Amino acid sequence: MKKFLLKLALFSVIISIIILYILNKYSGYVDYFYGKVSSPAQTSLIIGDSRSLQGIQPSVIDSALSKKYELPILNFSFTVKQMSYGDAWIKTIKKKVRPETKNGLFILSVHPWVLSEREEDDVLNGKFYEEKMPPNNLHFVNTNPNIEYFFKNYEYFHFKSMIKKISIVHEDGWLEENSTATSDSATLRGWENIQINLYTKFSKKWKKSIFRVKKLSETIDFLKQHGKVVLVRMPVSKEIFDLELSYWRDFNQEITKLAKDKSVEYYDFSLSDDFGFYDGVHLNKKNGKKFTSILCDSISKY
Amino acid sequence: MVFNSFEFLFFLPIVFVLYWFVFKKNVKAQNLLLLVASYFFYAYWDYRFLFLLVFSTLLDYFTGLKMSEATTINRKKFWFWLSVGVNLGFLGVFKYYNFFAESFAELLATFGFKAHFWTLSVILPVGISFYTFHGLSYVIDIYNDKIKPEKSIVDYSVFVCFFPLLVAGPIERATHLLPQIQRVRNFDYYKAADGLRQILWGLFMKVVVADNCAIVVNEVFKNPDSYNSSSLFVGAIFFAFQIYGDFSGYSNIALGTARLFGVELLRNFAFPYFSRDIAEFWRRWHISLSTWFRDYLYIPLGGSKGGMWSQVKNTMIIFLVSGFWHGANWTFIVWGALNAAFIMPLVIFKLNRTNTNIVAENSFLPSFKELIQIGLTFILTTLAWIFFRSESVTQALHYLGKLLNFSDYKFPEVDLKPFLFIIVLLIFDWLNRKKQHGLEISNIKYPVIRWGIYLFVFLMLLFFGASSDSFIYFQF
């Protein structure tokens, strides 16, 4: 038995070392979220879904605003599958913000879908889909290595991606998506159609949620204690915007009112046609940089 | 709980430690632990069906005792048919009721009658076909005076629901497993080490081979009209390896896990795709089910004793029943019938026991003749698998029709990467075809090479493992 256990332990140690080495060196390729929950608590955060995950580049903010705020900023955005403002997110954000922060910068990406009630939500019983998703299913969001993440969310790991090295989540949390670099209009149109179909499906199954708007308000309240909070509605294509408009006509008015009540800024870029998307929703690398610069200008101005 | 989950990664070491360290001196306590662990393992999937498993276990346990106590043959028969009737009744309700109701309604409709039967909205309890067959074999063996009934309810319950075999077999026999449960089990380093190798190999078969093939198979079988014929050909081959990787992989993990607890389960697969004819294939594929049908159906029906006609009839029956066992769908019945048709010439010309040895037993590579035989056997089984995989017979025929449209053979439009994993699988299987499983490499002298192979398999899992929630045979 001793021999058996020793050999088993040795094998386990070897494979653990291999996994930890890969995660340490290539986590940006292997998993889109591991780096975000294995970095230390932060002074500044970008919070949102894949729009801000790909479209807001922390390095641009760091170089433009480092004198005004406690930076660097971490892009703590996930995807629309995981992100909706609610208690679970407030809990996670509280863990991710360094407690002594007083002059941080917190950019909250908002749009109708992250403030909606989904078909899996059970509002009456206080059960929400995002509780089971990373990072909200974790007790620890600042530990390296994050063993808890590995065990709970191993399906997000794609070790073969470190060989292909196509897309990477940088240490600052920004997702550099390189698989979409094409100018072929048919391909781009195809990708946009996928998004239109997806959001059309959402609009039929989901409903706008006063509850989640309230939770956004609570998120702002917490973050305001640690610095400046801005709300951003990121640009999308005309087709996607029209879909969002028909789904939630007064969205901008409601968020503007909330921002006013909370004394925070709301920047609505939803209909800016200065940017190029690869699928109508996500900004490509070049336009992400341009957008982040404009966002920095807006933040500096107010 | 499934074997390829992190939950199992925690569950298994906990049970292992309790079994060998806490309860090691007391076989009764070890058995009780196995029983509790097995019920937990099952309830983790759906606790609502645990009662069915417990009821089925208690029923067979008590009817077994009652049969041995019976003073008259009629009383013995009563208890026997009670057990068989209730067991098959459960199976019928949960697995086959809707099939019969719908098929009968369709049949009446073809004669112009309109009929409506209630269909049940029931979930099929996982493993019901397997544990029902465990129980049935026990009851039949007692009825035939082959075994004495088990007195200990715990030991008997462990025999029925020992967690490695609970949900997808192998289908055990009381004569084989019960004595192992009753006796004191000592830790055997070589068995346990090989058990771990077998688990690793099972995971490779499931996660790397089966789950990667499944991605292509699901797409091709869902939209056959969107692909050219060669893609459908690839899809059919991939399904043959998906089901092999899935089920044989599961069996390897089950057998390996059981060996960690000092228990040897019945072998379920013996490198079936190296078979040189269909008869040999059926001696190597899902062995525990084939032998179950042989012992409890084919032989009681008369087997090969009643002359050629009887043998043909009985062979046909067991293949049809075997198809039906897999599921309440005509696709499975056609699959069984096709296999019966493939094996029939061998039965008629008494060639069904031509290939009872291991292929290329005394050489490294097969002869040209053996290679052709293996290839032909594989093609036949793959053709039958198309029915097994399809949602309906119409869909299978459509798939087959398009597959045989040779003018549409162009370069396949599907991901061909799974072929690389299949090649790795076949190399390991071929090199170890005389052994119990593809990673039985304890004979390699140098530990560095052995450990290098383990790491290679592990890295394959890490880099090329696809994910799926379940095993195909859980539905049966």
Side-chain angles (χ1 to χ4, degrees):
Chain A
M1 179 62 92
K2 213 171 165 185
K3 187 178 163 192
F4 176 79
L5 291 177
L6 274 175
K7 285 195 171 181
L8 186 59
L10 181 63
F11 188 70
S12 304
V13 167
I14 292 172
I15 62 173
S16 300
I17 288 170
I18 291 172
I19 291 171
L20 290 176
Y21 175 78
I22 292 170
L23 288 182
N24 199 33
K25 205 144 166 76
Y26 302 101
S27 72
Y29 296 108
V30 170
D31 187 295
Y32 284 179
F33 314 125
Y34 179 77
K36 294 172 196 279
V37 293
S38 57
S39 58
Q42 302 288 317
T43 52
S44 298
L45 294 172
I46 299 160
I47 294 158
D49 67 342
S50 59
R51 294 184 192 186
S52 51
L53 174 66
Q54 296 181 45
I56 303 182
Q57 299 181 15
S59 58
V60 177
I61 298 172
D62 290 345
S63 55
L65 302 171
S66 62
K67 286 179 186 155
K68 283 187 82 174
Y69 303 103
E70 287 181 64
L71 300 178
I73 192 166
L74 174 77
N75 191 328
F76 198 58
S77 302
F78 287 70
T79 71
V80 76
K81 204 178 157 193
Q82 293 135 313
M83 172 63 196
S84 267
Y85 290 98
D87 285 324
W89 267 96
I90 294 174
K91 224 165 115 185
T92 302
I93 291 166
K94 281 181 178 174
K95 285 187 261 185
K96 197 67 197 174
V97 175
R98 199 186 289 172
E100 62 271 23
T101 309
K102 289 284 171 240
N103 187 32
L105 174 63
F106 302 97
I107 300 169
L108 309 186
S109 166
V110 290
H111 54 73
W113 316 110
V114 294
L115 290 164
S116 288
E117 185 188 320
R118 308 186 181 193
E119 68 268 37
E120 308 99 307
D121 290 343
D122 180 0
V123 184
L124 283 177
N125 293 309
K127 301 250 181 257
F128 298 93
Y129 82 96
E130 70 269 19
E131 290 159 4
K132 291 176 188 159
M133 300 276 182
N136 304 318
N137 62 354
L138 302 173
H139 291 100
F140 305 101
V141 292
N142 307 315
T143 50
N144 188 15
N146 194 327
I147 306 291
E148 186 192 13
Y149 180 89
F150 186 80
F151 281 113
K152 286 186 174 167
N153 302 298
Y154 60 93
E155 71 268 23
Y156 290 95
F157 285 105
H158 295 284
F159 285 90
K160 60 185 154 202
S161 303
M162 66 174 264
I163 303 168
K164 290 182 188 166
K165 291 186 178 169
I166 295 171
S167 302
I168 180 174
V169 175
H170 293 270
E171 274 185 37
D172 59 18
W174 168 55
L175 168 62
E176 183 183 345
E177 183 59 81
N178 291 316
S179 62
T180 52
T182 178
S183 54
D184 178 43
S185 57
T187 309
L188 294 171
R189 186 67 212 160
W191 284 338
E192 184 166 7
N193 283 339
I194 291 171
Q195 294 294 347
I196 290 170
N197 290 339
L198 181 74
Y199 286 107
T200 306
K201 213 165 78 186
F202 289 168
S203 67
K204 284 176 186 158
K205 290 184 173 176
W206 298 2
K207 48 188 178 190
K208 53 186 187 178
S209 166
I210 298 162
F211 173 82
R212 291 209 183 269
V213 174
K214 196 172 145 244
K215 291 298 153 186
L216 171 65
S217 162
E218 287 175 28
T219 310
I220 297 168
D221 288 342
F222 167 73
L223 291 173
K224 271 178 72 179
Q225 299 165 30
H226 296 281
K228 183 181 173 77
V229 178
V230 295
L231 306 180
V232 180
R233 186 171 182 186
M234 293 189 60
V236 285
S237 71
K238 171 98 178 47
E239 288 83 349
I240 297 285
F241 177 77
D242 288 344
L243 230 160
E244 293 183 352
L245 190 66
S246 64
Y247 173 71
W248 195 328
R249 189 152 293 279
D250 304 328
F251 182 82
N252 274 341
Q253 288 91 313
E254 286 180 39
I255 300 300
T256 305
K257 186 178 175 303
L258 173 75
K260 207 174 161 192
D261 290 348
K262 297 286 162 188
S263 308
V264 296
E265 301 301 330
Y266 173 45
Y267 307 124
D268 174 23
F269 292 97
S270 53
L271 259 184
S272 302
D273 48 12
D274 301 341
F275 306 103
F277 313 92
Y278 65 80
D279 60 357
V281 175
H282 301 103
L283 295 168
N284 58 29
K285 198 158 73 175
K286 193 176 128 202
N287 282 289
K289 192 170 182 179
K290 187 174 149 191
F291 170 74
T292 314
S293 286
I294 293 170
L295 177 64
C296 287
D297 291 344
S298 301
I299 294 171
S300 299
K301 220 181 280 176
Y302 297 100
Chain B
M1 199 181 297
V2 288
F3 288 154
N4 56 330
S5 67
F6 269 97
E7 288 88 345
F8 188 69
L9 196 63
F10 285 107
F11 170 83
L12 183 60
I14 291 169
V15 181
F16 181 85
V17 168
L18 290 173
Y19 184 84
W20 288 117
F21 293 96
V22 181
F23 301 118
K24 68 172 178 178
K25 287 188 180 146
N26 187 335
V27 71
K28 282 186 180 171
Q30 279 184 327
N31 288 346
L32 194 60
L33 170 74
L34 288 181
L35 182 62
V36 172
S38 299
Y39 282 155
F40 177 79
F41 179 87
Y42 191 80
Y44 198 86
W45 167 74
D46 195 332
Y47 65 89
R48 289 171 302 172
F49 290 114
L50 194 58
F51 87 93
L52 200 64
L53 174 63
V54 175
F55 180 82
S56 172
T57 308
L58 291 175
L59 174 78
D60 296 335
Y61 172 75
F62 283 111
T63 49
L65 288 176
K66 289 289 178 194
M67 271 193 288
S68 76
E69 289 165 6
T71 48
T72 64
I73 188 71
N74 281 343
R75 283 214 74 71
K76 192 176 179 184
K77 269 187 183 168
F78 168 78
W79 291 111
F80 172 73
W81 284 111
L82 178 74
S83 172
V84 171
V86 174
N87 271 310
L88 293 181
F90 275 141
L91 207 53
V93 169
F94 282 99
K95 197 165 174 172
Y96 299 111
Y97 173 78
N98 286 351
F99 171 76
F100 281 120
E102 285 164 8
S103 296
F104 193 55
E106 280 170 20
L107 183 72
L108 289 178
T110 57
F111 291 106
F113 300 106
K114 268 190 183 173
H116 177 73
F117 296 94
W118 288 103
T119 50
L120 299 172
S121 178
V122 287
I123 310 165
L124 183 65
V126 75
I128 189 168
S129 304
F130 291 92
Y131 66 70
T132 302
F133 270 43
H134 276 144
L136 282 177
S137 77
Y138 172 78
V139 170
I140 297 169
D141 282 351
I142 292 176
Y143 181 75
N144 290 329
D145 294 323
K146 282 188 182 165
I147 55 168
K148 296 265 177 246
E150 173 56 50
K151 296 260 164 49
S152 161
I153 180 78
V154 174
D155 289 4
Y156 176 73
S157 302
V158 174
F159 157 70
V160 176
C161 65
F162 181 37
F163 72 87
L165 57 77
L166 178 56
V167 287
I171 300 167
E172 271 294 337
R173 307 296 181 81
T175 46
H176 180 252
L177 185 57
L178 262 175
Q180 294 187 70
I181 292 167
Q182 289 157 337
R183 69 168 177 249
V184 173
R185 298 174 288 271
N186 295 311
F187 183 80
D188 182 326
Y189 169 78
Y190 294 99
K191 271 187 188 174
D194 200 51
L196 283 184
R197 277 192 283 269
Q198 199 163 1
I199 292 172
L200 186 62
W201 189 238
L203 284 171
F204 171 82
M205 293 181 80
K206 163 68 182 161
V207 178
V208 179
V209 179
D211 290 348
N212 277 300
C213 285
I215 297 166
V216 176
V217 170
N218 292 344
E219 193 47 44
V220 173
F221 273 84
K222 194 173 153 196
N223 306 304
D225 290 328
S226 310
Y227 295 93
N228 59 30
S229 298
S230 49
S231 304
L232 267 60
F233 178 74
V234 172
I237 291 176
F238 280 3
F239 181 67
F241 281 97
Q242 183 198 344
I243 193 152
Y244 173 53
D246 195 283
F247 193 23
S248 179
Y250 175 89
S251 297
N252 273 325
I253 300 170
L255 266 74
T257 306
R259 295 172 90 188
L260 293 178
F261 296 92
V263 174
E264 290 287 343
L265 298 180
L266 288 171
R267 192 181 188 188
N268 226 7
F269 288 85
F271 312 111
Y273 287 147
F274 298 145
S275 303
R276 288 150 291 178
D277 59 49
I278 289 287
E280 187 187 8
F281 176 82
W282 279 106
R283 283 192 294 274
R284 294 174 173 277
W285 180 276
H286 203 174
I287 301 165
S288 66
L289 181 70
S290 309
T291 51
W292 198 100
F293 279 126
R294 183 197 64 199
D295 295 344
Y296 299 109
L297 190 63
Y298 182 73
I299 292 172
L301 283 171
S304 55
K305 281 182 185 161
M308 180 58 66
W309 162 240
S310 172
Q311 195 179 354
V312 167
K313 181 193 74 185
N314 294 338
T315 305
M316 186 54 107
I317 287 171
I318 62 159
F319 273 101
L320 289 177
V321 174
S322 170
F324 198 51
W325 177 89
H326 282 85
N329 194 329
W330 286 103
T331 51
F332 295 120
I333 296 170
V334 173
W335 169 76
L338 268 179
N339 275 289
F342 295 154
I343 206 171
M344 220 47 96
L346 300 173
V347 172
I348 292 168
F349 295 107
K350 299 198 183 304
L351 296 168
N352 53 327
R353 298 200 67 80
T354 310
N355 296 308
T356 50
N357 61 342
I358 293 167
V359 63
E361 202 162 17
N362 301 312
S363 59
F364 182 69
L365 291 172
S367 65
F368 182 69
K369 185 185 162 196
E370 284 171 331
L371 204 60
I372 297 291
Q373 287 173 326
I374 290 171
L376 282 174
T377 308
F378 180 74
I379 288 169
L380 290 178
T381 49
T382 302
L383 283 176
W385 285 133
I386 291 172
F387 285 87
F388 194 95
R389 173 60 181 80
S390 298
E391 303 287 326
S392 66
V393 175
T394 316
Q395 193 201 54
L397 290 172
H398 178 67
Y399 190 100
L400 208 54
K402 201 160 182 320
L403 175 77
L404 296 174
N405 177 12
F406 295 106
S407 61
D408 194 30
Y409 269 72
K410 292 162 196 148
F411 194 78
E413 299 158 306
V414 292
D415 182 13
L416 299 176
K417 257 199 312 296
F419 272 123
L420 292 176
F421 309 133
I422 291 170
I423 289 169
V424 174
L425 169 78
L426 290 176
I427 290 172
F428 273 82
D429 271 6
W430 180 260
L431 293 174
N432 294 299
R433 66 192 181 282
K434 292 173 194 166
K435 297 173 186 161
Q436 293 293 307
H437 60 89
L439 202 62
E440 195 178 327
I441 52 170
S442 52
N443 60 323
I444 294 179
K445 204 174 153 190
Y446 302 104
V448 178
I449 297 176
R450 278 205 311 272
W451 279 63
I453 292 172
Y454 304 150
L455 281 178
F456 168 74
V457 176
F458 171 75
L459 290 174
M460 292 288 283
L461 287 172
L462 199 63
F463 284 100
F464 303 110
S467 61
S468 97
D469 293 335
S470 193
F471 287 84
I472 293 175
Y473 263 70
F474 280 17
Q475 64 188 295
F476 300 135

